[in-house]
């Protein structure tokens, strides 16, 4: 199949490489140029997003944020300037669910189809083709694209209509941030009360307090291992999507707002590049007490 | 062994019954009288806690809150009025870690030993003898009492010295409350954005957002099934232990404080007896929007 891929960054490059390795013909466009992983394959580099959309049947986007997707789709020489009749735009970026619905509607008015298909699993998942993919869009289009998505991910779920994939991704990032907050407050409490937070973590695994976050990020907090992982700056972008969408919908999210403020405190400490488990450092800063290094 | 058991409520009665069934001789004291489950066994009812402590080698407490334990131990005709030389007090109530350390110190000064051994698993776990037990106290005393604890629970962990068992229990309840908050905000966000929260929950299980709470309490939120379960009023008691201990230690716990306020909102709606997953109703009240019943 002729597949367009716009955005060949840390995530996009390995994802596109999986498509090329499977024999698909790629037309790419990226600010960062052609990555080495694609150099060995039959890949056509296009100057403009419009060219990609003219040459490919499926146009995949993997971009940093909502304005980038808006610009690539509807900016000058953008995807929407091509004839999109029967073509499918697949936005795998993590962006606003609300604006995604508008983007999808405009693409459909131009004769195209649209899937929002944000991923989780990070660079490791992108390289291993083991990403979780949360999809919003028409069932028939989802089924048509499933073989392509399966080249990049494993746990692929159609949540519902356009925007619902992005909504699920935002919900995922909210739960991850707030569960980090939960584990951070509890382990800090344990340490401050004189208990060994590593033993408390161990005792709580398996019970009702158990979570992937207690297992992985709880261990990071105890071992003081805050190399990313997943950077706080990226998680702040995801919580901004939650909070700005919530404001547009008049929905109060008090704990999500608090988590964002704690990330701000990490950034104030020079920690925008720390792993998100370092949220515990914002709590430690608040009380001038830290979990002792093990 | 001659075992004293003080507090034969919803939890204490089935726990004491397991000890009697195993052939231990029981001396009991309870405001609620002798429960039916113990009537068939060789059980001596004592009027005063002091009598229990005089007749038994091990004195187990299963009481509602910190002041109850203080009164039974050190009030008039309390445990401390008996000769405690070589005897072991095992407090299985969920109470303040800080006051537990003081209680333990006073009992040891009187020649006794002390374990704090709070449980999780609720009435179901008490009846099935499958409680998780988090223990604080000297290693040798823990080993001496382990066969007795194994008659009531399965996952039995010595966290550390006196108070550390209570600290682990408080940490457990903090994580449970805050993870309920996480799941509640995320599923409410998903529903408000027009996605199916049941599908979002399903897609998120297995990834980094996965937790026992997303699995069990997330399903309750989606199915609007708020019969306890674990009552909000009881969880409020546990968060009070966290917040009052934190104040004594000058430790800031912003998310725990927020969760307590949301439980207050549930109580304002008449929901002190709802299952704690109904914290989502406080968020729904804030925004005048509810997850639709499935």
């Amino acid at each position: 199949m002729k597949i367009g891929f716009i955005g060949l960054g840390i995530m996009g490059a390995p994802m596109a490489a999986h498509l090329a390795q499977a024999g698909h013909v790629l037309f790419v466009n990226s600010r960062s140029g052609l990555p080495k992983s694609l150099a060995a394959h039959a890949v056509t580099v296009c100057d403009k997003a419009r060219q990609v959309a003219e040459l490919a049947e499926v146009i995949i986007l993997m971009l940093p944020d909502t304005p980038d997707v808006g610009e690539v789709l509807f900016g000058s020489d953008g995807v929407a300037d091509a004839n999109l009749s029967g073509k499918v735009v697949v936005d795998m970026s993590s962006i606003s669910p609300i604006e995604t619905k508008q983007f999808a509607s405009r693409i459909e008015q131009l004769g195209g189809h649209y899937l929002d298909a944000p991923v989780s699993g990070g660079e490791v998942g992108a390289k291993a083709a083991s990403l979780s993919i949360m999809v919003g869009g028409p069932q028939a289009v989802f089924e048509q694209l499933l073989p392509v998505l399966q080249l990049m991910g494993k746990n692929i779920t159609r949540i519902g209509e356009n925007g619902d994939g992005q909504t699920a991704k935002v919900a995922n990032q909210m739960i991850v941030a707030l569960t980090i907050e939960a584990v951070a407050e509890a382990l800090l409490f344990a340490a401050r009360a004189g208990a060994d937070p590593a033993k408390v973590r161990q005792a709580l695994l398996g019970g009702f307090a158990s979570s992937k976050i207690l297992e992985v990020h709880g261990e990071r907090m105890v071992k003081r291992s805050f190399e990313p992982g997943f950077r706080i700056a990226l998680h702040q972008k995801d919580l901004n999507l939650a909070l700005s969408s919530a404001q547009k919908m008049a929905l109060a999210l008090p704990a999500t707002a608090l988590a964002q403020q704690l990330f701000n405190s990490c950034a104030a400490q020079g920690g925008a590049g720390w792993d998100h488990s370092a949220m515990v450092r914002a709590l430690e800063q608040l009380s001038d007490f830290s979990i002792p290094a093990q």
Side-chain angles (χ1 to χ4, degrees), chain A residues 57 83-88 110-113 144:
Chain A
E57 304 154 79
N83 178 358
L84 292 180
S85 182
K87 297 190 173 184
V88 184
L110 295 168
H113 305 293
Q144 182 193 340

Side-chain angles (χ1 to χ4, degrees), chain A residues 90-110:
Chain A
V90 184
D91 180 26
M92 303 188 76
S93 325
S94 290
I95 69 163
S96 161
I98 293 174
E99 283 170 84
T100 288
K101 291 178 194 189
Q102 296 162 357
F103 294 164
S105 170
R106 288 174 71 180
I107 293 296
E108 282 179 0
Q109 281 165 16
L110 295 168

Side-chain angles (χ1 to χ4, degrees), chain A residues 18-158:
Chain A
H18 293 306
L19 302 179
Q21 275 157 23
H24 291 292
V25 179
L26 293 198
F27 302 88
V28 305
N29 171 260
S30 181
R31 284 183 300 193
S32 45
L34 192 69
K36 287 178 190 168
S37 57
L38 283 176
H41 296 282
V43 172
T44 302
V45 178
C46 303
D47 273 353
K48 307 289 184 186
R50 182 177 65 168
Q51 286 178 284
V52 173
E54 280 165 353
L55 296 168
E57 304 154 79
V58 170
I59 304 110
I60 297 175
L61 275 54
M62 194 62 183
L63 297 163
D65 209 345
T66 313
D68 307 292
V69 173
E71 177 66 21
V72 159
L73 291 179
F74 305 110
S76 108
D77 282 322
V79 168
D81 285 335
N83 178 358
L84 292 180
S85 182
K87 297 190 173 184
V88 184
V89 172
V90 184
D91 180 26
M92 303 188 76
S93 325
S94 290
I95 69 163
S96 161
I98 293 174
E99 283 170 84
T100 288
K101 291 178 194 189
Q102 296 162 357
F103 294 164
S105 170
R106 288 174 71 180
I107 293 296
E108 282 179 0
Q109 281 165 16
L110 295 168
H113 305 293
Y114 194 99
L115 293 180
D116 47 298
V119 306
S120 78
E123 188 180 353
V124 172
K127 285 182 173 166
S130 66
L131 294 166
S132 290
I133 309 180
M134 293 151 269
V135 186
Q139 177 72 30
V141 182
F142 172 71
E143 285 170 13
Q144 182 193 340
L145 265 289
L146 190 54
V148 172
L149 297 176
Q150 283 168 336
L151 294 171
M152 298 178 281
K154 285 214 165 106
N155 183 13
I156 303 167
T157 312
R158 179 178 174 267

